[in-house]
Amino acid sequence: MTTTRQSYAPHEQARRFLSREVHQLWIGGQQTPASSGEKLPTVNPSTGEVLAHLAAGGRADVDLAVRAARGAFAGPWSAWSPYERQALLTRVAAMLDERFEELVEIEALDMGAPVSRLRNSKAALNRMLAFFAGQATNISGETLSNGMPGQIATMTLKAPVGVVGGIIPWNGPLNGQFWIIGAVLASGCTAVLKPSEDASLSVLRVAELLDEVGVPPGVINVVTGTGEAAGHALAAHPDVDRIAFTGSTETGRRIIEASTVNIKKLQLELGGKSADIVCSSADLDAAVPGAAMGVFANSGQICYAGTRVLVQRSVVDEFTERLLVFMDTLRVGHSLDSTASLGPVVSQPQLDKVLSYVDIGRGEGAELLRGGERMGGELGSGYFVQPSVFSGVTNRMRIAREEIFGPVLSILPFDDVDEAIAIANDSDFGLGGAVWSQDLSTALRVVNGVHTGTMWVNCYGYVDPLVGFGGTKLSGYGAKGSGAHMDTYLYTKCVYIQM
Ligand code: NAD
């Protein structure tokens, strides 16, 4: 593992955006100051320096934004045809293509993902926009037969649910916001987005760019601020019809409670502690880097990270040895360093949390084979933590049960596949997971046996909107992607017609 030594600056377009004194809320197609006049700092995690200030939105601002969204929902937007919404999504995709580098730099500086990772995410974003553009012209009800006496025709119609509250975490807002924006534009809903206080800037910039390509005022609004103030106000607002939430299980619980005020529809994408199962029949050339990056990508800040790496005992020594060699190729650096494969974690509290789990793991008797320290030198002022590996982990340990959300990989040995399935299922979460085996029947046994929303075989982390991605147990409900995703932005109207 190597580190970088240099200072980095964004290009002109991103610099101009970042130089604003305060980043205002985006309501009704306009920059709007927070009613309190207060602001929040947002920090560059690569340096620990304040990067920008965000307007600190609260209940009154959420109320204003919801009114703008409700007005837009009832306005000319409601008469846009599916073809017009599809054409709009196509323009959004073209805009993203053109402005992607600016957005990459803003995101990298705001939440710390290295530009190499963000640039690689462009293809996924293109697929997402293409998917939602297709969905705009694919909304249909059914004509149904019925058992009514007389001449009654019956059918169902699909209608947009209304105003959507989109509450977004910090670990990937540049792409993450489009799961909501895409569905909103395809379905004819409107939205108020509440990005994380640690990473709001790409969401604010995208809102302005959407305006430039013709998204009508009020269709997409952004209220920045804390979860306690702006997030809670959105989840509890009586005129918000649906919440799309991605974030921690604990916050998910709070949102369920707040949503009871008007029985909101909910989509909850929560935390995970996924098992990545490496069988003795695995191709270790693929499994070692695959399992490693299943944890270390985005510095471990991925909900479906395969942080419990279950390795069959007969290959555990070889796997571990090769894993440590692979880790020597990882390059940790400033998020604008295009040679860095890993950046910092998002904030000081997140760094503290990750390091505290390293202490917990040691205290529980696991053996720290690599890493476990904050990085120093030129990276010392940022929130960099060494990619870390524990061996000798048991599934009873807290490091195997709780979501760390940092670059900490635990190796848990197993003897046979049934034991691996039992360990994988002995978790409160059910988000991702993988099996590495060249024996298809073994792989399918694991796929069928593990209770989780998404399974990968001989790969890790692929997500295509055509297929979807989702969780079960404490990882939430309401899959992203596939027709099921769009369905949650629509409601069904049953129609009876006397002939
Ligand atoms: P978080 O739950 O702390 O915050 C997520 C969002 O909720 C933020 O915008 C925050 O301001 C807001 N929020 C906080 N308290 C709130 C409240 N009381 N009411 C309403 N909103 C509130 O999560 P995070 O730390 O930003 O992100 C990391 C978590 O997100 C991890 O648990 C990770 O697994 C999860 N995550 C899940 C997925 C998925 O698809 N399942 C994807 C990414 C991240």
Side-chain angles (χ1 to χ4, degrees):
M1 187 184 59
T2 50
T3 61
T4 54
R5 291 176 178 273
Q6 238 179 298
S7 69
Y8 297 92
H11 292 99
E12 180 55 24
Q13 278 181 325
R15 198 162 50 229
R16 233 182 300 135
F17 173 74
L18 292 167
S19 68
R20 294 181 192 172
E21 202 175 316
V22 179
H23 292 269
Q24 309 289 10
L25 314 176
W26 183 261
I27 298 178
Q30 291 187 357
Q31 311 278 353
T32 309
S35 57
S36 67
E38 286 176 11
K39 56 184 185 177
L40 294 170
T42 182
V43 170
N44 174 354
S46 294
T47 62
E49 290 162 3
V50 172
L51 176 68
H53 285 90
L54 306 170
R59 205 159 70 166
D61 307 293
V62 167
D63 197 43
L64 190 66
V66 172
R67 273 189 276 135
R70 179 60 62 192
F73 183 66
W77 172 240
S78 65
W80 281 43
S81 74
Y83 289 124
E84 288 172 312
R85 296 201 306 273
Q86 183 175 60
L88 178 62
L89 277 155
T90 306
R91 292 201 297 281
V92 171
M95 171 278 284
L96 283 173
D97 206 44
E98 202 180 303
R99 308 303 284 267
F100 198 65
E101 191 54 27
E102 175 190 352
L103 292 166
V104 159
E105 290 190 348
I106 291 169
E107 179 91 331
L109 289 167
D110 201 16
M111 55 72 66
V115 286
S116 59
R117 172 178 169 79
L118 294 168
R119 287 179 186 136
N120 280 340
S121 71
K122 190 174 181 193
L125 194 51
N126 288 342
R127 283 196 294 273
M128 212 191 298
L129 268 298
F131 168 78
F132 284 118
Q135 292 294 310
T137 53
N138 196 27
I139 296 169
S140 58
E142 287 177 297
T143 305
L144 300 160
S145 56
N146 65 74
M148 307 281 292
Q151 287 281 309
I152 307 272
T154 42
M155 63 181 180
T156 57
L157 300 176
K158 296 280 183 180
V161 290
V163 176
V164 175
I167 303 180
I168 302 170
W170 43 256
N171 66 332
L174 175 54
N175 278 32
Q177 63 186 306
F178 282 98
W179 285 110
I180 304 169
I181 293 170
V184 162
L185 299 184
S187 63
C189 291
T190 60
V192 177
L193 304 181
K194 207 307 275 176
S196 163
E197 46 275 53
D198 286 321
S200 292
L201 294 174
S202 68
V203 180
L204 287 167
R205 186 64 183 131
V206 162
E208 296 173 349
L209 295 172
L210 293 177
D211 183 69
E212 287 179 18
V213 295
V215 172
V219 170
I220 301 291
N221 308 276
V222 183
V223 177
T224 50
T226 64
E228 289 299 316
H232 177 74
L234 191 57
H237 198 290
D239 202 26
V240 171
D241 300 290
R242 180 192 192 282
I243 292 287
F245 172 70
T246 303
S248 62
T249 300
E250 206 35 56
T251 306
R253 283 201 180 92
R254 307 268 319 270
I255 286 172
I256 292 170
E257 284 162 17
S259 72
T260 59
V261 63
N262 62 334
I263 318 291
K264 288 181 180 63
K265 292 164 187 60
L266 297 179
Q267 178 196 6
L268 302 173
E269 304 268 346
L270 309 176
K273 195 74 197 175
S274 302
D276 195 350
I277 299 172
V278 181
C279 301
S280 55
S281 50
D283 170 7
L284 290 187
D285 288 343
V288 169
M293 293 315 287
V295 179
F296 298 134
N298 213 29
S299 299
Q301 303 165 112
I302 298 185
C303 50
Y304 54 69
T307 46
R308 291 186 295 153
V309 180
L310 278 49
V311 187
Q312 200 147 15
R313 211 174 293 277
S314 54
V315 291
V316 73
D317 288 343
E318 186 183 355
F319 175 89
T320 307
E321 207 173 291
R322 289 205 200 188
L323 173 69
L324 297 180
V325 171
F326 173 79
M327 287 174 68
D328 288 334
T329 68
L330 297 175
R331 187 172 170 83
V332 181
H334 190 292
S335 60
L336 290 190
D337 175 357
S338 56
T339 66
S341 47
L342 303 180
V345 296
V346 75
S347 63
Q348 182 72 51
Q350 192 60 23
L351 176 71
D352 294 343
K353 179 179 169 189
V354 175
L355 294 176
S356 78
Y357 271 104
V358 171
D359 289 342
I360 289 167
R362 280 194 180 116
E364 289 176 312
E367 187 187 354
L368 184 66
L369 294 182
R370 180 66 65 85
E373 301 285 338
R374 181 178 188 164
M375 296 179 73
E378 292 290 313
L379 301 180
S381 60
Y383 310 130
F384 292 91
V385 56
Q386 295 169 330
S388 310
V389 176
F390 277 111
S391 73
V393 178
T394 72
N395 208 43
R396 289 287 96 206
M397 294 179 181
R398 284 182 63 193
I399 56 168
R401 305 202 73 80
E402 298 172 17
E403 189 179 42
I404 300 173
F405 227 53
V408 182
L409 183 156
S410 292
I411 298 175
L412 293 82
F414 67 90
D415 288 307
D416 62 47
V417 168
D418 288 335
E419 186 191 356
I421 293 170
I423 295 172
N425 287 337
D426 180 15
S427 172
D428 293 335
F429 297 103
L431 191 54
V435 53
W436 300 84
S437 172
Q438 295 185 89
D439 173 16
L440 191 57
S441 66
T442 301
L444 287 179
R445 222 167 103 207
V446 175
V447 167
N448 286 321
V450 177
H451 304 309
T452 188
T454 308
M455 270 305 269
W456 292 282
V457 178
N458 294 329
C459 58
Y460 207 93
Y462 291 144
V463 176
D464 188 319
L466 284 170
V467 183
F469 166 77
T472 184
K473 304 203 278 187
L474 288 193
S475 298
Y477 48 78
K480 282 174 174 152
S482 76
H485 181 98
M486 278 300 291
D487 264 350
T488 66
Y489 285 76
L490 303 164
Y491 72 94
T492 303
K493 197 179 287 183
C494 300
V495 183
Y496 294 77
I497 306 168
Q498 176 79 61
M499 308 290 280

